[in-house]
Every structure is written in structure tokens, then in C-alpha cells.
Amino acid sequence: MRPEEADLAHRLQRLVIRLNRELRWESAEIGVSSADAMVLFDLRRRPGAGVSDLAGMAQIARSVISERVKRLQAAGLVERDAVACEDRRRVGLKITAAGHAVLTRMSRIRRDRIAVRLAGLSDDDRAAIERAVDALDRLPQWRSAAELAADAERDGRKIDGQQSQGRDQDHERRQARQT
């Protein structure tokens, strides 16, 4: 690795840590831990997922996800999915209306706070950030198989191990994430 790549990686790491800290604070303001919010985000992407599915998405132990799901159920944000599964031992989960309201509020707050900050930048700086976000979004190892598959389905193409790099498709992905 060249020194300039190492420096850029270090700066990006510091920025990600700061952003993560802010996201945790914002989640706490709404009354949901950032870890529990991630479970809600994963269930929004994959309604009907079970504890094992969620643990796999988060790459953490089933017991940890199980405790998070119990907290979310007690708060009325998650419930068992009434749809019967082939494997009767498996319990699917879904987000309740209250859970969707929390996610909507959290997304709106986060988007609004970032938009205010971006508005204070020059047009050139905003364009540079947009190009950087597009480039970072093309790093496939940063995206789950489910996200890549959803993008492929949305784009009407098959996954061939290569993610499209077209600006139009990048823009469409950003728009889809905002909904």
C-alpha cells in the first residue's frame, strides 16, 4: 500500500468513526439503540427474516440478535410474522407500524441533519462528495449480498460479480435508498 492510500484510509476511518458516533446519538435521541436500529433496518429490507437470518446479516451471534429482538418486541417495534414457514421451528419477524414510524423518523432526522451540513458547502465540495459517495458505494465488499441482489433486481439485470458503474444507476440507487 502506498503512503497516500494509507493516509486516505486513515482519514476515512476517522470520519466513519465520527459519523457512527453521531448516528448512535441520534438513535438514542429517538429511544432506540443503534444496534437495535440496525435490526429494524435489516428487517425492513428482509421482512419475515428470523433470528438466524438477522445474525447472519449482522455477522454476530444468534444469542445477541435474540436479545435485541426481545427488546424490540417488548417495545412494540417488532412482532412475529403470522405467515407460516415450511419449517415450523422457524419464527419469522416483521416490523410493526410503530417500528416503521421509528425508522421513518430516524431516517428523516439523519437526512435533514446531513442536508443542512451539505447546504453550507460550495457546489464544488458537494459535487466532490457526491463523486466520493458514488465511488464508495461501488466497493462491493461494503455491501451485503442482499443489497447487491436488490440493486440487480431493481436494475433488471443479473448479478455477475460485477456491479454497474453507470452514473444513472448510481443515482437511481441513491434515490431508492431515500424511500
Side-chain angles (χ1 to χ4, degrees), residues 95-116:
I95 302 174
T96 64
H100 281 289
V102 164
L103 286 176
T104 300
R105 183 170 175 232
M106 188 178 301
S107 294
R108 183 181 37 77
I109 288 170
R110 288 176 176 178
R111 190 172 27 251
D112 291 350
R113 286 182 179 174
I114 292 170
V116 166

Side-chain angles (χ1 to χ4, degrees), residues 153-171:
E153 186 176 311
R154 201 172 21 258
D155 294 344
R157 59 186 169 77
K158 300 253 187 232
I159 295 178
D160 60 0
Q162 237 10 36
Q163 191 172 346
S164 172
Q165 295 183 9
R167 276 187 65 79
D168 292 340
Q169 289 171 336
D170 288 339
H171 178 73

Side-chain angles (χ1 to χ4, degrees), residues 113-161:
R113 286 182 179 174
I114 292 170
V116 166
R117 291 175 178 172
L118 291 172
L121 298 175
S122 70
D123 290 343
D124 288 343
D125 284 346
R126 279 193 305 278
I129 289 172
E130 183 173 1
R131 286 190 304 276
V133 168
D134 288 344
L136 289 169
D137 201 33
R138 287 191 299 268
L139 294 173
Q141 62 270 35
W142 284 18
R143 310 202 58 225
S144 70
E147 289 172 314
L148 293 171
D151 283 349
E153 186 176 311
R154 201 172 21 258
D155 294 344
R157 59 186 169 77
K158 300 253 187 232
I159 295 178
D160 60 0

Side-chain angles (χ1 to χ4, degrees), residues 16-65:
V16 168
I17 289 168
R18 281 195 339 247
L19 288 172
N20 188 33
R21 188 174 296 132
E22 287 187 32
L23 293 175
R24 283 195 315 263
W25 291 333
E26 290 168 3
S27 296
E29 286 177 16
I30 294 171
V32 176
S33 74
S34 59
D36 289 350
M38 289 308 302
V39 172
L40 290 173
F41 283 118
D42 287 342
L43 274 175
R44 182 173 65 183
R45 278 192 304 240
R46 296 220 14 231
V51 169
S52 293
D53 301 322
L54 293 168
M57 285 185 265
Q59 297 181 343
I60 58 176
R62 288 180 66 240
S63 60
V64 173
I65 289 291

